Amino acid sequence: MRGIVICLSTLLVIGFLVISSQNSSSQNESSPVPATPTPTVKSFGATGDGTTDDTAAIQRAVDSRQGSISFPKGVYRITKTISVDLEKLGPTSVSSDGTATIIMAGAGPAFRFIGTHEGTASPDTVKENVWLNQRSPLVDGLEIVGDHPEACGIEATGTMQITLTRLTIRRALHGIHFVKRNRNLIVSNCHIYQNRGAGIFYDHVNIHQSNIVGCHISYNAGGGVVVRKGDIRNIQIGTCDIEGNMGDENSEPTANVLIDSEDASVGEIAIVGCTIQHDHFAPGSANIRINEHARIRPHSEEYRDGNITIADNVLSDVQTNIEITSARGVTVTGNTMWKGYTHNIRIDDCRNILVSNNVLDRNPRYHYGDGSTAKVGMLLTNCDGCTISGNHINGTGNETAALEIRDSRRMNVTNCTILDFSTIGLLLNNVSDSRVSDCLIQSDLPNSENAHSIQVSGGKDNQIVDNLFKK
C-alpha cells in the first residue's frame, strides 16, 4: 500500500512537470519576437547636433539602398546636396515625425531626387524600370532651413509620382523646385515660408498632373506658386492659404500665384477654394497673375493658351486681385474679393471668358490705413466673346468705373448688380456687337447725383435693354 502511494505521488509530480513544460512551450511560441529596429541616419554616423557636418553620413544612409531613410529628432547640418538617384537606389522615402531639422549650409537643394522617366502620365509610356525602381519617392515630416544664399529645399527631375508632404521649408532660395520633366506629383500639407525666391517653382519644366493641396505658402519674395514657361498641363491648386509672396518695393512685380506661358505652353489649371492675399505695397502685386500668350503651334494661328478655372477663392489686399492676359477659355466664378488697389479684376486680350457670380466688395470695416483708397473695379480690354453675369460690384474709387469694357466686341453683360459707385457704374468705350441687360446699376453715395449709371463712348451695334438705373 505504501508503495502505491509513492508511485501516485511520483506520477503527479511528473504530470505537473509535463504540463508546465507544455504551457511554457506554448507561451514561447505565442510571444512576439522583438523586431530589429530600422536603421536611421544616426546608424550611419549622423549626429544631429546642429554643428557637425552630417552630409557624408546621410549620403551613406541613402546609398545603402535600405529605402526608408529616417531622421530621429535632431538638427542635421549639411553642406552639399543629398542626391537620391532613384534608378540606382530603388524606391526611396525620406522622413521624420516632425522633430528633425535639416540645415542646408551649401548651394543647391538639400535633397535632389533624380529619375529617368521620359514618358507621359499614360501607363503605356512608363517603362518597367520606373515602376520597379523609381515610382512614388516620398519626403515627409521634415523641416528644411536654408543657411546659404543659394540653398534650396527640394529639387525633383525625371520623377514619377513624387509626393512631398508635411514639410516646413524656410529661409532658402526656392522652397520646392521642379526642373526638366516630372509627372504625377503631389505637394500637400506643407508650410513653405519666408524664402527668397519662389515658394513652389515650376522652372521651364515639362510637367503634367500636379496637385498642390492644403498648403500654407507665404512670404516668399519671388512669388508663391510660380510657373515659368515650359510645357505644363493639369495644375490643381486647392484649399491653400497663399499670402504675402511679393518681396518689397525694390522687387520685380510678382504674384501669389504667377503663371507665365510666354513662348511656351501652360494650360488646364484649377485654382479653387484658397485664401490669397497681401501685399498692395509691392509694385505691380497680384494675387493671381496669368499670362497665356503661348508659342504658336503648326496647326493653328491661335496664340492664346488657357482652359482655366478660378473658383471659390477669397482674395484681397494687392494692386490687382485677378489679372489675366492673352488667355482663352477661362472661368472666374464664385470668388469674393476686396482691396484691389488698382483693380479687383483685369482681363486683357482674351477670348471666351466667363466672369460670373463673384462679389467685389468695398466694406468700410477694411478702410483702416489706406484701405479706402483701393479702386476695386473691373476692367476688360481688347476682348472678344466674353460673358459677365451675376456679379455683385459694390463701390469704387473716385477715378474708376465699377465695370469698364474697352476696345472689345461680343460682350454679354447680364444680371449684374452695380452699386454705390463714385463716378460711373458701367463704362463702354469703343465696344461693338454687345449686349447689356437685366442689370441693377444705382448709387446711393453722398454727392452721387453727378454719377452716371452707364456711359457709352464710341462703338456700334450694341443693345442695352431691361436695366434699372438710378433716376
Side-chain angles (χ1 to χ4, degrees):
M1 191 71 180
R2 184 177 175 184
I4 295 172
V5 171
I6 292 173
C7 290
L8 288 172
S9 298
T10 303
L11 289 171
L12 288 171
V13 171
I14 293 170
F16 175 78
L17 292 173
V18 170
I19 292 170
S20 297
S21 176
Q22 290 175 343
N23 287 340
S24 176
S25 176
S26 175
Q27 288 174 359
N28 288 337
E29 290 176 1
S30 62
S31 299
V33 177
T36 302
T38 302
T40 71
V41 293
K42 289 190 174 182
S43 306
F44 294 85
T47 64
D49 62 8
T51 302
T52 304
D53 187 347
D54 285 328
T55 306
I58 296 171
Q59 190 67 62
R60 281 196 299 272
V62 171
D63 292 344
S64 73
R65 303 187 183 183
Q66 73 176 40
S68 177
I69 311 303
S70 176
F71 285 80
K73 181 179 179 180
V75 178
Y76 302 84
R77 188 174 184 84
I78 62 176
T79 54
K80 294 181 181 178
T81 295
I82 303 301
S83 178
V84 184
D85 188 328
L86 296 166
E87 181 60 23
K88 293 180 180 179
L89 302 175
T92 302
S93 69
V94 177
S95 65
S96 178
D97 59 3
T99 62
T101 296
I102 308 296
I103 303 294
M104 182 50 179
F111 295 92
R112 176 180 286 122
F113 284 79
I114 305 167
T116 63
H117 180 56
E118 297 179 348
T120 69
S122 178
D124 60 1
T125 71
V126 185
K127 295 180 179 179
E128 191 63 19
N129 69 298
V130 172
W131 289 128
L132 290 174
N133 300 325
Q134 302 178 27
R135 90 293 180 273
S136 306
L138 171 70
V139 186
D140 178 41
L142 286 171
E143 179 187 43
I144 301 174
V145 180
D147 192 26
H148 185 281
E150 297 179 19
C152 292
I154 294 173
E155 180 183 296
T157 178
T159 64
M160 178 67 175
Q161 299 178 337
I162 191 170
T163 299
L164 309 175
T165 184
R166 300 191 304 176
L167 304 173
T168 296
I169 304 176
R170 59 190 182 89
R171 292 174 56 186
L173 178 56
H174 304 305
I176 297 172
H177 194 187
F178 297 110
V179 299
K180 295 183 179 177
R181 188 181 190 91
N182 296 271
R183 282 296 184 277
N184 291 22
L185 65 91
I186 294 175
V187 179
S188 69
N189 303 98
C190 291
H191 301 273
I192 314 297
Y193 182 83
Q194 198 184 11
N195 296 290
R196 294 181 296 281
I200 301 176
F201 190 14
Y202 295 67
D203 186 2
H204 296 70
V205 65
N206 184 305
I207 194 167
H208 290 206
Q209 291 77 41
S210 61
N211 295 4
I212 301 172
V213 183
C215 292
H216 185 201
I217 305 167
S218 57
Y219 304 105
N220 300 287
V225 179
V226 176
V227 179
R228 294 282 189 190
K229 307 183 187 302
D231 181 1
I232 299 171
R233 292 291 183 274
N234 311 121
I235 299 175
Q236 298 185 52
I237 304 171
T239 62
C240 293
D241 179 75
I242 308 175
E243 62 176 64
N245 300 286
M246 302 294 167
D248 56 29
E249 64 275 7
N250 298 316
S251 304
E252 293 184 7
T254 184
N256 281 311
V257 178
L258 174 60
I259 297 171
D260 181 10
S261 186
E262 189 70 37
D263 297 324
S265 183
V266 180
E268 301 170 29
I269 299 162
I271 305 168
V272 180
C274 299
T275 55
I276 311 178
Q277 56 191 348
H278 307 318
D279 190 343
H280 72 277
F281 291 111
S285 61
N287 276 321
I288 299 173
R289 170 172 285 129
I290 299 175
N291 173 20
E292 289 289 272
H293 195 292
R295 65 172 179 265
I296 297 293
R297 293 189 170 185
H299 63 276
S300 173
E301 294 182 357
E302 177 58 81
Y303 58 88
R304 287 170 285 213
D305 230 326
N307 298 327
I308 297 168
T309 292
I310 302 170
D312 304 327
N313 301 286
V314 176
L315 310 160
S316 72
D317 189 33
V318 284
Q319 289 301 314
T320 305
N321 274 309
I322 297 176
E323 179 182 297
I324 304 170
T325 304
S326 300
R328 178 172 181 145
V330 180
T331 299
V332 180
T333 186
N335 302 284
T336 298
M337 63 194 82
W338 68 102
K339 288 180 76 173
Y341 279 74
T342 303
H343 292 98
N344 272 329
I345 298 177
R346 179 164 183 169
I347 300 173
D348 178 61
D349 185 35
C350 291
R351 185 166 186 174
N352 299 348
I353 309 296
L354 172 65
V355 181
S356 69
N357 303 324
N358 300 286
V359 175
L360 288 66
D361 198 9
R362 189 181 179 82
N363 190 332
R365 288 176 61 87
Y366 289 84
H367 286 182
Y368 51 83
D370 62 354
S372 63
T373 66
K375 299 183 172 100
V376 306
M378 185 190 306
L379 173 64
L380 291 90
T381 56
N382 304 302
C383 291
D384 183 5
C386 301
T387 298
I388 316 298
S389 177
N391 299 288
H392 189 106
I393 306 172
N394 192 97
T396 56
N398 293 329
E399 302 175 1
T400 307
L403 171 56
E404 181 176 359
I405 304 174
R406 295 201 308 247
D407 302 319
S408 300
R409 62 189 293 268
R410 299 191 296 181
M411 310 294 285
N412 192 14
V413 182
T414 63
N415 293 303
C416 290
T417 300
I418 303 174
L419 303 176
D420 297 339
F421 43 89
S422 298
T423 55
I424 302 170
L426 172 62
L427 173 60
L428 303 179
N429 187 342
N430 193 29
V431 174
S432 301
D433 305 307
S434 297
R435 189 172 191 268
V436 178
S437 69
D438 300 290
C439 293
L440 172 63
I441 308 177
Q442 295 187 352
S443 180
D444 289 340
L445 291 180
N447 304 316
S448 63
E449 60 273 8
N450 294 322
H452 300 278
S453 293
I454 185 167
Q455 187 174 91
V456 179
S457 176
K460 62 180 181 178
D461 299 328
N462 297 310
Q463 184 182 68
I464 301 175
V465 296
D466 298 329
N467 301 285
L468 180 60
F469 302 143
K470 185 174 180 67
K471 302 298 183 183

